[in-house]
């Protein structure tokens, strides 16, 4: 299940958000490495909510949920499972 979600997230980050337009790994630290900036973070949240039909609460906007493709995928899977 995660591979489809993971690939959609990774593709979006690489094609639409990556400041550096590079290929990323699933465990790469997106914010620490400067791959996603603050505007990209907002766009990412909007993409995730629309693409996966989830609502992300303010208290969920923590680095532990969003600092890598793997962490984002895990977060989205948890949200989708509780819909």
């Amino acid at each position: 299940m995660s591979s489809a979600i993971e690939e959609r997230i990774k593709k979006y980050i690489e094609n639409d958000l990556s400041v550096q337009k590079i290929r990323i790994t699933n465990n790469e630290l997106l914010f620490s490495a400067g791959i996603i900036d603050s505007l990209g973070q907002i766009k990412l949240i909007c993409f995730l909510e629309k693409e996966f039909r989830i609502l992300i609460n303010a208290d969920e906007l923590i680095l532990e949920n969003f600092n890598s493709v793997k962490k984002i995928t895990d977060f989205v899977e948890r949200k989708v499972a509780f819909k």
Side-chain angles (χ1 to χ4, degrees), residues 42-59:
I42 295 167
K43 290 179 179 179
L44 175 62
I45 299 305
C46 292
F47 165 77
L48 295 173
E49 288 184 328
K50 182 178 178 183
E51 184 75 13
F52 300 105
R53 297 182 181 149
I54 59 175
L55 178 61
I56 300 172
N57 300 312
D59 63 334

Side-chain angles (χ1 to χ4, degrees), residues 14-78:
E14 287 178 342
N15 295 333
D16 297 329
L17 290 187
S18 176
V19 175
Q20 303 165 353
K21 300 294 180 204
I22 60 171
R23 292 282 177 212
I24 57 174
T25 65
N26 292 341
N27 292 311
E28 189 140 14
L29 301 178
L30 302 172
F31 295 97
S32 305
I35 295 168
I36 297 178
D37 60 14
S38 57
L39 180 57
Q41 180 180 11
I42 295 167
K43 290 179 179 179
L44 175 62
I45 299 305
C46 292
F47 165 77
L48 295 173
E49 288 184 328
K50 182 178 178 183
E51 184 75 13
F52 300 105
R53 297 182 181 149
I54 59 175
L55 178 61
I56 300 172
N57 300 312
D59 63 334
E60 296 171 315
L61 297 174
I62 56 175
L63 198 55
E64 293 170 9
N65 289 334
F66 294 96
N67 203 29
S68 71
V69 171
K70 171 85 171 94
K71 289 182 180 203
I72 297 167
T73 301
D74 292 345
F75 173 75
V76 168
E77 286 178 344
R78 287 192 306 272

